[in-house]
Amino acid sequence: MASRVRVWLNRTYAENVFFMDQLRRNPGDRAVEIHATHGDPDSPVLAAADTAELEPEGLSPAAYVEYALAQCARRGIDVFVPRLHQAAIVSHRADFEAVGTALLAPTPQAVAVFEDKATAYEAVRSIGVPVPPWWRVRTGEELRTAVEELEGAGQRACFKPASGAGGVGFRIVTRAPFSLLHLSGFPGPHVPLDLVLRALEQAGEAVDWLVMPVLEQPEVSVDCLTGPDNRIRLAVGRTKNGRRRGFTLHEQWLEPARRIVEGFGVHHLSNIQFRMYEGRPVLLDVNTRPAGGLHQLSQCGVNAPWAAVRLALGDDPGEIVPPFLGPDYTVVAAPRPLRPVPIPQQRTEEPTVRPAAPAASTARAVGAAEVLPL
């Protein structure tokens, strides 16, 4: 019988409960035990894990690496999927290998390139991947100049932090004065330019934003699995147009994604996002980590998390081609169990190999994204 595989996810997104589910439902029926850490005691990933622990707050990146190495040694971690402090962790890959842990993460060079969106745009443009026009701004006057240039070309302007993830800080600039229209319905991303300029003036400090045109739909996220040999094993596009989601293998999306991950050493799981600008796909963002929606590839008969763990352990899954593309779907909320106590309970005895299935729970529930066909 194959030995148990022990996987650790640190401070990850709530949607990765589905990542964990797929690891347990692997095609080889191999026993998988999952360790999870988080800063929020009510994170659903803690409830879904076999063992869970609250992370210490306030650690520097270097101190976090020491904490992570101790976790891997104490917990017998075979594969570590880092999200928090990824850059610091991957720079110590040899130290993790020394305690028997494989990192499911890219090279330090790749993480450094794609941590900063401006650096990323310059890099991918150098290999021929189209990017939208963009301005890096730090002051109100620079923001005004960039917005006026875009508006002069008949385009709407938006801005977002030069570093960050998940759409945090994304805003669309308007010239409409603040009014009750901004207070009706749900809060949206639109913000009047005069309020932004006033806020910058009052703050008295520089920002680090990228200004660019508002790009058109569809948005296509290409989920990639790439080996340490820089050869891609899997590339599938997930399309988003309003609430409608779907899948694509069209080369206009896959070819530039392959060029990026193979050209910059974006090993293991990554997510390359594109949108449309003037009738052609342009790069939106590069995520050097598994996407929160990665589990949706199961609608195409693909278990990407398990293929990635196999690859990290040196068991090459080879080229993975989806046997079919699933139908269009939408995403809705569904309940997930939480632990009945605010601090995750700990297993004290040595875990035993067992068939991996989520334990029944009577704990309260929290919403998580599920997919439904349209």
Side-chain angles (χ1 to χ4, degrees):
M1 177 184 292
S3 62
R4 175 202 68 200
V5 179
R6 189 108 167 106
V7 180
W8 173 26
L9 289 83
N10 76 333
R11 205 171 295 210
T12 192
Y13 304 111
E15 290 86 352
N16 274 337
V17 295
F18 304 117
F19 186 105
M20 299 157 74
D21 290 344
Q22 287 190 283
L23 290 182
R24 292 187 173 110
R25 294 196 299 262
N26 65 82
D29 201 27
R30 188 165 176 184
V32 176
E33 291 198 349
I34 299 173
H35 181 56
T37 57
H38 208 283
D40 179 2
D42 286 334
S43 168
V45 298
L46 297 184
D50 295 287
T51 59
E53 193 170 307
L54 286 175
E55 292 189 352
E57 297 291 345
L59 293 183
S60 68
Y64 193 91
V65 169
E66 294 302 316
Y67 160 79
L69 284 166
Q71 284 278 314
C72 289
R74 181 164 64 93
R75 298 284 186 175
I77 302 300
D78 299 300
V79 178
F80 178 20
V81 188
R83 190 198 68 82
L84 183 66
H85 293 311
Q86 187 189 66
I89 288 165
V90 297
S91 68
H92 289 267
R93 190 180 300 269
D95 295 327
F96 285 94
E97 290 175 349
V99 298
T101 300
L103 295 182
L104 202 158
T107 63
Q109 295 80 6
V111 174
V113 168
F114 297 110
E115 273 189 315
D116 180 277
K117 291 180 174 60
T119 302
Y121 282 177
E122 290 284 9
V124 301
R125 185 165 59 184
S126 72
I127 62 170
V129 174
V131 299
W134 55 272
W135 291 257
R136 190 168 202 157
V137 305
R138 301 185 185 277
T139 67
E141 191 54 41
E142 290 175 349
L143 174 64
R144 186 196 302 273
T145 299
V147 170
E148 289 177 348
E149 190 161 342
L150 281 167
E151 290 177 340
Q155 297 171 333
R156 292 184 299 159
C158 64
F159 63 86
K160 58 185 177 181
S163 61
V168 174
F170 171 78
R171 298 293 186 271
I172 297 174
V173 176
T174 76
R175 292 286 186 162
F178 188 78
S179 69
L180 287 178
L181 290 176
H182 292 90
L183 301 177
S184 62
F186 293 103
H190 294 82
V191 59
L193 177 62
D194 62 329
L195 293 187
V196 180
L197 295 174
R198 191 181 311 159
L200 289 172
E201 182 181 357
Q202 292 173 347
E205 59 186 46
V207 294
D208 190 8
W209 292 343
L210 292 191
V211 179
M212 63 182 62
V214 176
L215 303 176
E216 301 301 320
Q217 292 185 332
E219 181 175 313
V220 177
S221 296
V222 182
D223 293 310
C224 299
L225 175 61
T226 311
D229 57 359
N230 283 347
R231 184 169 58 85
I232 202 163
R233 307 303 198 271
L234 169 70
V236 181
R238 289 183 287 111
T239 66
K240 182 169 70 171
N241 199 334
R243 294 191 65 174
R244 181 171 291 272
R245 312 292 177 90
F247 303 100
T248 180
L249 294 176
H250 199 292
E251 283 298 313
Q252 71 172 339
W253 312 106
L254 269 55
E255 189 277 332
R258 288 194 196 97
R259 202 184 312 174
I260 290 169
V261 298
E262 293 181 342
F264 292 99
V266 189
H267 299 164
H268 300 289
L269 288 172
S270 60
N271 177 257
I272 320 299
Q273 298 176 349
F274 300 92
R275 274 204 174 216
M276 299 296 291
Y277 176 68
E278 296 186 338
R280 65 171 181 168
V282 295
L283 180 70
L284 179 63
D285 206 357
V286 175
N287 297 308
T288 59
R289 52 165 175 76
L294 179 68
H295 65 281
Q296 293 164 16
L297 296 188
S298 64
Q299 308 297 309
C300 302
V302 172
N303 188 330
W306 180 245
V309 166
R310 285 183 57 192
L311 185 60
L313 292 173
D315 179 19
D316 197 329
E319 183 179 359
I320 302 170
V321 178
F324 54 87
L325 293 183
D328 285 359
Y329 62 99
T330 191
V331 176
V332 297
R336 296 288 298 203
L338 289 181
R339 291 178 181 266
V341 293
I343 302 298
Q345 295 173 334
Q346 296 300 300
R347 177 184 294 150
T348 55
E349 72 277 7
E350 177 64 23
T352 57
V353 177
R354 55 175 174 74
S361 173
T362 59
R364 59 195 176 95
V366 66
E370 298 274 12
V371 299
L372 288 178
L374 286 174

